Amino acid sequence: MKISRVISHFFPNRCEVCNCEIELGAVLCGECEKLIRGPIMASFKLAHIDRAYSYWSYDTPLREMIHAYKFGDRPRMADLFSKMLLEMFLVFGEDVNTVVPVPTTVDAFRRRGFDTNHLILKKLSRDLDLKIEDVLVATGRRSPQSRLKLADRHGNVEGKFRVKRELSTGKIILFDDVVTTGATVGQCARVLREEGVKEITLFSIAKAKK
Ligand SMILES: [Zn+2]
């Protein structure tokens, strides 16, 4: 018996959305995969940001996938998200190849062992000529936005980011996996502008309806 079959016998791999048993290495079952009839890649408006695009809405099954990735210790799911981001770069990336990820706090990094946004970009950089600029630092304890009630979200990010060094370009793509109210990315964009960044395009994987 192959070792992978032994593993799947004792620890069956399950779909992140409907929990049915699936092949080892897969993330979603075929039925749930079909639910993402994307990409939508819709544009939306945000303060301090020139253009903002999201791959899909923050709905089933993408919501469950992102939760599994961020809170369920599933770093390999970064591959899936990097493929979504690749599609966005091919359509809206134009000539911009400098990406600034919204950073994970030190607390969250310790908990997960990886920086969620940075890992997605690192996977993407195998397919695209990207310059990942980790210039933003999260200085406060940033509670996970998606777990907070809408009313709590704005106060959650006040004064929580700073830029640690100068950027080599005035044109960047800001990246965050999930955009809820836009308060987090808006704050990041504001501090980047203070450092002389002229043009900011935002890419996100999922955008929550307000
Ligand atoms: Zn499923």
Side-chain angles (χ1 to χ4, degrees):
M1 210 182 200
K2 270 169 54 187
I3 188 75
S4 62
R5 293 201 47 193
V6 177
I7 293 169
S8 66
H9 178 75
F10 289 105
F11 307 100
N13 191 28
R14 296 193 180 277
C15 172
E16 293 295 346
V17 178
C18 70
N19 210 36
C20 76
E21 203 175 324
I22 51 173
E23 262 176 61
L24 209 69
V27 177
L28 297 180
C29 71
E31 290 304 306
C32 289
E33 222 162 57
K34 273 189 233 156
L35 288 174
I36 300 183
R37 289 185 208 91
I40 297 173
M41 299 204 286
S43 68
F44 53 100
K45 291 212 181 309
L46 282 178
H48 309 297
I49 289 167
D50 298 295
R51 288 168 296 276
Y53 302 98
S54 182
Y55 186 83
W56 218 64
S57 52
Y58 193 52
D59 285 319
T60 300
L62 194 52
R63 189 178 49 213
E64 286 78 1
M65 289 165 65
I66 290 171
H67 267 255
Y69 175 57
K70 294 176 84 162
F71 308 115
D73 191 26
R74 301 287 296 267
R76 71 194 172 98
M77 290 181 76
D79 279 320
L80 283 172
F81 301 129
S82 84
K83 290 202 173 64
M84 293 175 183
L85 205 49
L86 175 63
E87 288 183 53
M88 298 185 76
F89 266 91
L90 296 177
V91 179
F92 304 113
E94 293 174 19
D95 52 346
V96 187
N97 71 342
T98 301
V99 195
V100 178
V102 172
T104 294
T105 58
V106 175
D107 280 357
F109 186 85
R110 282 206 195 107
R111 216 166 38 238
R112 295 182 187 128
F114 63 101
D115 182 315
T116 48
N117 286 336
H118 186 93
L119 185 61
I120 294 169
L121 293 176
K122 222 173 119 192
K123 302 266 182 192
L124 179 65
S125 68
R126 294 180 304 199
D127 301 315
L128 269 184
D129 181 23
L130 271 194
K131 195 170 178 200
I132 307 168
E133 290 269 29
D134 291 300
V135 295
L136 287 170
V137 184
T139 54
R141 285 168 185 269
R142 182 180 162 222
S143 320
Q145 289 277 308
S146 51
R147 285 188 171 176
L148 293 175
K149 289 200 184 87
L150 197 65
D152 298 330
R153 283 178 192 152
H154 280 284
N156 188 36
V157 292
E158 230 37 71
K160 298 283 173 68
F161 297 96
R162 64 179 177 83
V163 178
K164 64 179 170 190
R165 62 175 162 79
E166 212 175 300
L167 271 150
S168 53
T169 175
K171 245 173 148 181
I172 60 127
I173 287 173
L174 181 64
F175 171 64
D176 203 3
D177 50 5
V178 179
V179 173
T180 49
T181 61
T184 302
V185 288
Q187 230 255 334
C188 291
R190 199 173 55 76
V191 295
L192 286 167
R193 292 224 188 257
E194 284 166 6
E195 294 301 315
V197 175
K198 298 268 180 294
E199 230 182 288
I200 301 176
T201 302
L202 173 83
F203 282 178
S204 77
I205 301 292
K207 164 84 171 71
K209 295 176 193 104
K210 283 183 194 171

